[in-house]
Amino acid sequence: MRHRVKKKHFDRTKEQRLALYRSLARALIMEERIETSLQKAKALRAFIERLVELGKKGDLASRRRALALLPDRKVIKKLFEEIAPRFESRKGGYVRIIKLPDRRIGDGCELAILEFVE
């Protein structure tokens, strides 16, 4: 039964979903703006918010937890040294989702831009 199950599964296993989130998060942190489907953007928002919260703490334990979620040292370094300090005075809502008017040609999926709030 599906009682109280709210996360998006994307017709993938847990490992495949985690790989998807890691890939999208890596791209967002490095490029600071990506275009993806609306549903993936909504699901990725919580993952990114958690990483930015860890980056704001900035201690060693937070860095290790972030590396467990996203095992790429270069990306975590950029997150902790460049992106997280921007949001020191902000309590949440680090990522903005902008819906695009056009749909993807192949499957008709709604598209969105995912970017960090300035």
Side-chain angles (χ1 to χ4, degrees):
M1 286 186 257
R2 293 193 66 250
H3 299 304
R4 299 175 62 111
V5 176
K6 292 188 177 183
K7 65 182 174 185
K8 298 286 183 195
H9 293 284
F10 299 117
D11 198 23
R12 290 175 162 92
T13 63
K14 181 180 176 182
E15 293 81 15
Q16 290 171 340
R17 232 180 357 263
L18 182 60
L20 173 72
Y21 291 157
R22 285 176 174 172
S23 173
L24 288 171
R26 182 179 298 118
L28 179 63
I29 291 170
M30 294 310 285
E31 302 296 326
E32 298 191 15
R33 181 183 178 116
I34 60 171
E35 182 178 321
T36 184
S37 71
L38 181 62
Q39 295 303 317
K40 286 178 186 174
K42 287 180 178 181
L44 183 65
R45 184 190 309 175
F47 190 80
I48 289 290
E49 301 265 337
R50 188 175 322 133
L51 286 171
V52 173
E53 286 292 330
L54 290 172
K56 282 174 61 176
K57 286 183 186 175
D59 58 347
L60 181 61
S62 298
R63 188 175 291 264
R64 287 178 176 165
R65 288 182 62 198
L67 274 167
L69 288 173
L70 186 60
D72 189 342
R73 291 184 186 276
K74 185 169 63 171
V75 173
I76 295 299
K77 182 177 180 180
K78 181 172 180 178
L79 174 71
F80 274 69
E81 294 177 2
E82 295 177 26
I83 295 173
R86 287 192 230 160
F87 301 116
E88 284 299 322
S89 62
R90 195 175 181 96
K91 295 189 178 188
Y94 312 114
V95 178
R96 173 186 300 136
I97 296 176
I98 302 168
K99 294 181 185 179
L100 295 176
D102 298 331
R103 290 177 174 256
R104 192 160 48 206
I105 293 175
D107 59 357
C109 181
E110 293 182 73
L111 295 174
I113 293 175
L114 191 66
E115 65 184 8
F116 286 109
V117 176
E118 294 300 323

